[in-house]
Amino acid sequence: MKNIIITVMLLFCGSIFGQMYNPVKWSTAVEKISEKEYLLKAEATIQAGWHLYGQYIEEGGPSPTAFAFKKKNFELLGKTTEEKGHELVDKIFDMKIKYFEDKALFTQKIKFTSDAVSNIAAEVEFMVCDDSNCLPPSSEELVFKISNAKNVASADETVTAKKETVAVKKDKMDTDKKNDSKGLLSIFIIAFLSGFAALLTPCVFPMIPMTVSYFTKQSKTKAAGIRNALIYGFSIVIIYVLLGSIVTAVFGADSLNALSTNVWFNIIFFVLLVVFACSFLGAFEIMLPNALANKVDSQADRGGLIGIFFMALALAIVSFSCTGPIVGTLLVEAASKGGIAPIVGMLGFSIAIALPFSLFAAFPGWLNALPKSGGWLNTVKVVLGFLELALAFKFLSNADLVLQLHWLEREVFLTIWIAVFGTLAFYLFGKITLPHDSPLNHISVGRLSLGLLVLSFTIYLIPGLFGAPLKLISGFPPPMHYSESPYGVGFSKNTGTTNTESLPDGAAYGPQDIITFHDYDKGMEFAKKTGKPVLLDFTGYACVNCRKMEELVWSDPKVLGVLKNDVVLISLYVDDKKELPESEQYTSETTGKKIKTIGNKWSDLQIKNYKANAQPFYVIVDHKSANLTEPSAYNPDIENYYNWLNSGIKNFKK
């Protein structure tokens, strides 16, 4: 039960890591034509639904695909050629454009001008669109591997090399798909549990025996009753999945991801959750217009498949006062992950709602085992209200962190949570009653157990006021350094082991007292002086997973030792709202957006150099900003993250 409470809390506001969307993957191959001539091949694999444009496009259209070869000891023979592809009038640019689907092969013939044969480097710039939107122009480095003149690859070896290239590419795509699948699976499970919670509310639960009885009585045979109830359940799924599809279409795949650190978005969502919480606690009911409910209900009398569908729609409308707050929270959270997450979320939620109707229709005898409707249903609703109230302050905290107002510091946040969960514990013990509660003559074992669990959690929070790390909820309260007493009550930097006078110019003490730079240039300058590699930490004030890494992984003694002694940490906050001086503002070459704030600048740096826009994002670089190892994202595996740090440091020392 403890895990369920914590899971529900984390589920509503946790941030799931997601890489910047890139629907095109490139691979290279080389064929020998003669002793001096070679054919370079660059193949693009394009995700379904996306178009890659050709090299020759009229002005005013999308950016064409363009190759730039870094010439050294060779010359180009003719232009880069491309396959036939497709031609049609593009809906977005309203012109006839050549594009490629699924795959595109580009070839360039070259001739070596000396005996020095080496790998050939090139850069491809390209743009992709689907039927409704386009991604900003992107570029990728390509390497064509050439064997030396004495050891020319045979035809079979060339085919083998090509297969190996494709295999590597496939492995990477499989890894990306695996990560995406994990994210979608977690959203599905979250939504399913939320649907189950909604099922146990007084708006939905009493409908189960009523609806099942209707189908079994109105149907001429048992088989017909089961069939109709299954259609009813399927209609519920269709209605909620359609809602998820609308959200996906309206907001796009990734647009709400950018809103996760938007101040107004967080404040508005804080207000919404407070309203939802007050509704669950019994202050008022959120209802859709009666006229809409009556109109839908009249359509349900038509009978047949259409009538059953409108019965399902009537259930969704009638139960909106209970399901609306849960669905609203799920949709915003799922939409912020991008892609088809809202559709997957509504699929999980609707299956949890529809499943009991279908199962009890197939086995009506099970209805006798259902608990009777009563005050316990309202208790479920009230518990959800308290949870939503607690989670609301996470969004307010995000806004405060982004603006760096220090109004809702760690101690204040924890005090509010202690008050909320402490009040919930008193409610479960029957010491507090709310509107719509039934008279409580005794406390059930289940309610007592839940009350003890909530009380234990409340007591667990109290040491956090005095500096305890509270790793169980790591990432949700403001970080330790965003506090009135960062080192615990009675301690400060002056009484601790740190000494602010020894800080380098432009540095500050960051998480875990690591010396941290927030300015890229000053951090690089210090790294050159000390002869250490640089750890670039693309982070955000409102980034939950960033705080989890800092509090759970960076706190490990061996990881902390590396961060304090072996690297120079530069933390770049992409949601820093401080405005750049007018002379430093510019228009991004990558996104075309105006870069006005410090956060914009660091976000643009991340997108331009690393083709990623999610946080946390870690890169180990040398003094020339060259990568020393592959970048890393959110990685709660301490051993894995430690090994990754060491691999970058070893490459720096070579």
Side-chain angles (χ1 to χ4, degrees), residues 203-257:
C203 310
V204 182
F205 188 81
M207 299 291 289
I208 297 175
M210 292 169 55
T211 306
V212 171
S213 298
Y214 171 83
F215 282 121
T216 53
K217 290 177 181 178
Q218 294 297 319
S219 304
K220 295 181 180 179
T221 64
K222 181 180 179 182
I226 294 173
R227 184 187 67 245
N228 290 339
L230 290 174
I231 295 172
Y232 179 71
F234 185 70
S235 298
I236 294 173
V237 174
I238 291 293
I239 289 166
Y240 283 103
V241 169
L242 184 61
L243 179 61
S245 302
I246 292 172
V247 170
T248 303
V250 171
F251 293 108
D254 297 301
S255 60
L256 278 182
N257 185 40

Side-chain angles (χ1 to χ4, degrees), residues 46-231:
I46 310 157
Q47 202 170 68
W50 290 89
H51 300 152
L52 172 71
Y53 293 102
Q55 300 176 90
Y56 311 105
I57 294 176
E58 296 177 19
E59 189 175 348
S63 298
T65 300
F67 291 86
F69 294 90
K70 299 176 183 178
K71 299 178 184 177
K72 187 179 180 182
N73 300 324
F74 73 92
E75 61 181 16
L76 302 179
L77 300 179
K79 296 181 179 180
T80 304
T81 62
E82 60 189 29
E83 294 179 307
K84 186 177 180 181
H86 308 277
E87 285 191 356
L88 52 67
V89 176
D90 191 279
K91 295 178 181 178
I92 296 175
F93 296 99
D94 194 26
M95 64 169 62
K96 195 171 184 180
I97 297 176
K98 181 177 180 180
Y99 69 92
F100 302 97
E101 291 181 328
D102 301 327
K103 288 184 181 294
L105 179 64
F106 300 86
T107 59
Q108 174 65 58
K109 192 176 179 182
I110 66 166
K111 181 180 180 180
F112 283 100
T113 56
S114 71
D115 294 333
V117 181
S118 61
N119 294 344
I120 295 177
E123 183 177 19
V124 57
E125 185 173 339
F126 58 96
M127 180 176 179
V128 289
C129 300
D130 62 10
D131 290 335
S132 59
N133 62 83
C134 295
L135 297 182
S138 181
S139 62
E140 188 164 331
E141 296 287 336
L142 302 178
V143 176
F144 299 88
K145 295 183 179 180
I146 311 288
S147 301
N148 62 47
K150 294 180 180 179
N151 242 335
V152 178
S154 65
D156 289 340
E157 289 172 334
T158 301
V159 171
T160 302
K162 184 175 181 180
K163 286 181 178 178
E164 289 174 352
T165 301
V166 172
V168 171
K169 174 188 165 188
K170 184 176 183 298
D171 288 343
K172 189 176 186 307
M173 291 179 69
D174 288 344
T175 302
D176 291 343
K177 288 180 180 177
K178 186 177 179 181
N179 290 335
D180 290 343
S181 298
K182 283 183 178 179
L184 292 177
L185 179 61
S186 65
I187 289 172
F188 180 87
I189 294 172
I190 291 168
F192 185 84
L193 292 174
S194 301
F196 184 71
L199 187 68
L200 299 178
T201 59
C203 310
V204 182
F205 188 81
M207 299 291 289
I208 297 175
M210 292 169 55
T211 306
V212 171
S213 298
Y214 171 83
F215 282 121
T216 53
K217 290 177 181 178
Q218 294 297 319
S219 304
K220 295 181 180 179
T221 64
K222 181 180 179 182
I226 294 173
R227 184 187 67 245
N228 290 339
L230 290 174
I231 295 172

Side-chain angles (χ1 to χ4, degrees), residues 255-311:
S255 60
L256 278 182
N257 185 40
L259 290 176
S260 60
T261 59
N262 181 277
V263 172
W264 288 111
F265 171 82
N266 280 284
I267 291 174
I268 290 170
F269 202 47
F270 161 74
V271 173
L272 282 176
L273 281 183
V274 170
V275 171
F276 290 159
C278 291
S279 173
F280 274 159
L281 294 175
F284 50 81
E285 287 194 358
I286 302 173
M287 301 288 291
L288 289 175
N290 288 330
L292 177 62
N294 294 335
K295 189 173 182 180
V296 170
D297 192 52
S298 64
Q299 293 294 321
D301 295 332
R302 296 174 58 179
L305 294 178
I306 295 178
I308 294 175
F309 177 82
F310 275 99
M311 282 189 65

Side-chain angles (χ1 to χ4, degrees), residues 361-425:
F363 307 99
W366 289 3
L367 288 173
N368 297 325
L370 278 180
K372 302 298 182 183
S373 298
W376 68 273
L377 290 176
N378 190 66
T379 301
V380 172
K381 192 175 176 182
V382 169
V383 169
L384 291 175
F386 276 105
L387 289 177
E388 293 232 355
L389 185 60
L391 295 176
F393 283 93
K394 174 57 186 169
F395 290 91
L396 187 61
S397 173
N398 285 345
D400 182 63
L401 282 165
V402 171
L403 293 175
Q404 290 288 287
L405 297 175
H406 289 266
W407 290 352
L408 198 61
E409 291 183 326
R410 185 177 177 89
E411 292 90 345
V412 179
F413 182 93
L414 290 175
T415 300
I416 292 171
W417 268 34
I418 290 169
V420 170
F421 286 103
T423 305
L424 174 57

Side-chain angles (χ1 to χ4, degrees), residues 326-373:
I326 300 174
V327 170
T329 305
L330 275 175
L331 280 175
V332 174
E333 274 300 303
S336 67
K337 313 309 174 203
I340 61 170
I343 299 174
V344 173
M346 288 300 95
L347 179 64
F349 181 85
S350 58
I351 287 176
I353 294 288
L355 200 58
F357 292 95
S358 300
L359 287 177
F360 284 114
F363 307 99
W366 289 3
L367 288 173
N368 297 325
L370 278 180
K372 302 298 182 183
S373 298

